[in-house]
Amino acid sequence: MAEIIQKDGTWVFDGDTLRLTPGRDKNVSLIRRELGELLVPLAALAGISFEQGKKSGRLRLRLRDGADPLLHATGGRLTEPHDPYQLTVESDRYGVAEYFVDEVRNALLLDQVPSGPVDAYLLPGPSVPLSVSAGDGVASFDGERVRLEWKWQAEEAKSASGPRTLPLADIVAVEWQPTVGLENGHLRFTVRGAPTKAPPKYDPNAVELWGFKKDPLMALVAAAVQARLPHPSTPAARATPEDAPPAAAAPAPAPAAEDDHDALLRRLRELGELHRSGVLTDEEFSLAKQAVLKRM
């Protein structure tokens, strides 16, 4: 058995399974805490590596394509510190990390585990029911249906239609996209027979994310739904939304120009209200305000 214990977490390998437990350090991200302990079978691994740095190093697991619904739903966009398959290693434990890597690699060789894609999920995904509030809405999933409820900050195109309930049988695909730079992120569900090209801000089947602390938690909803959809290797999963029977869809309102001066001033006022009401912390408000001011 190989084991490495760090502030960032503890990894244990018994020859068949890797047990990944997040640490209790304040720097451990919310999504890793919510995911809790992960059991990764050796058959799900494509490789492992260790990168040394001056002050700290990093252990990384590389999973086989299609093995984990979380990685599929997020498209590999979960970065450090949110990636549960990375572990920060202190410099005085470099030798332990190298030994850990050798043990896992030897097991992969002995068991002749291929590094190619798999045709079924080897990890179960997050447990349900779960509910996450972030961005302009609240997304809940009980294993059979997704429910989307809108906050007062949501665009009228969404809030006017009220809460949405999406049966799992009607969901073709799910995608989580993080906020990058000045581009907002989203959690979006593609619904059978109702394709749309509307931005997430106006799409009633999407939650828009603004780059705040709880945004990564929406990836848990995406992963829980993905784990119950057809595996991406199946013909049903490879079918595009255009292959589904056509259905009448309400036209999406034209989005307002994000760089319009009045729109940016309105955004500043909204952020100020969120800050005063306690929804945003001082740090989150400062970061969001700076991003808007850069656009102006």
Side-chain angles (χ1 to χ4, degrees):
M1 186 178 77
E3 179 182 60
I4 182 166
I5 302 173
Q6 296 290 275
K7 292 180 181 179
D8 195 36
T10 299
W11 285 13
V12 179
F13 178 56
D14 63 6
D16 296 313
T17 304
L18 287 99
R19 185 183 301 270
L20 315 181
T21 307
R24 297 182 179 180
D25 188 74
K26 63 180 181 180
N27 293 323
V28 176
S29 71
L30 279 176
I31 187 171
R32 289 180 58 201
R33 294 178 189 174
E34 289 295 323
L35 274 171
E37 186 176 81
L38 294 177
L39 298 179
V40 183
L42 186 66
L45 282 187
I48 183 173
S49 63
F50 175 58
E51 304 163 2
Q52 293 190 16
K54 291 183 178 180
K55 295 183 179 180
S56 64
R58 189 166 303 281
L59 273 171
R60 298 179 189 269
L61 293 182
R62 184 166 59 89
L63 272 62
R64 299 169 65 185
D65 288 344
D68 182 18
L70 175 64
L71 294 184
H72 183 76
T74 58
R77 290 182 289 266
L78 271 180
T79 58
E80 191 278 330
H82 308 300
D83 187 348
Y85 303 115
Q86 298 186 29
L87 181 71
T88 301
V89 179
E90 298 163 18
S91 58
D92 61 347
R93 290 293 183 271
Y94 282 1
V96 178
E98 291 170 348
Y99 170 76
F100 192 94
V101 168
D102 288 342
E103 288 293 293
V104 175
R105 285 177 175 171
N106 289 338
L108 289 171
L109 288 173
L110 288 173
D111 287 16
Q112 297 182 340
V113 177
S115 60
V118 297
D119 57 8
Y121 291 123
L122 301 180
L123 282 88
S127 58
V128 295
L130 56 84
S131 181
V132 176
S133 174
D136 66 355
V138 179
S140 306
F141 181 54
D142 63 4
E144 296 181 357
R145 61 188 61 82
V146 172
R147 181 174 174 83
L148 302 177
E149 300 174 76
W150 309 116
K151 300 181 182 179
W152 66 266
Q153 304 98 319
E155 289 292 323
E156 186 177 356
K158 288 183 176 181
S159 58
S161 62
R164 299 274 292 173
T165 299
L166 307 176
L168 185 63
D170 291 345
I171 298 175
V172 177
V174 58
E175 177 192 49
W176 174 83
Q177 172 75 51
T179 299
V180 179
L182 299 179
E183 296 296 326
N184 290 338
H186 63 261
L187 170 69
R188 189 198 294 270
F189 298 94
T190 301
V191 178
R192 191 183 313 279
T196 178
K197 295 182 179 179
K201 185 174 184 176
Y202 302 98
D203 185 355
N205 297 322
V207 176
E208 186 183 41
L209 305 175
W210 300 324
F212 298 138
K213 189 175 182 180
K214 291 186 178 180
D215 283 10
L217 293 180
M218 282 292 183
L220 298 180
V221 179
V225 173
Q226 184 65 57
R228 291 160 177 81
L229 294 179
H231 191 269
S233 66
T234 64
R238 290 196 295 266
T240 62
E242 288 75 12
D243 297 328
E258 282 297 324
D259 291 328
D260 179 79
H261 190 265
D262 291 340
L264 294 173
L265 287 176
R266 185 170 62 252
R267 183 67 178 272
L268 282 175
R269 287 194 295 270
E270 291 173 352
L271 290 171
E273 292 173 0
L274 290 172
H275 183 229
R276 286 191 294 274
S277 62
V279 175
L280 300 182
T281 64
D282 292 342
E283 181 183 1
E284 290 172 339
F285 172 66
S286 178
L287 291 173
K289 184 175 69 173
Q290 290 175 17
V292 175
L293 292 175
K294 285 182 180 178
R295 290 189 184 184
M296 296 179 70

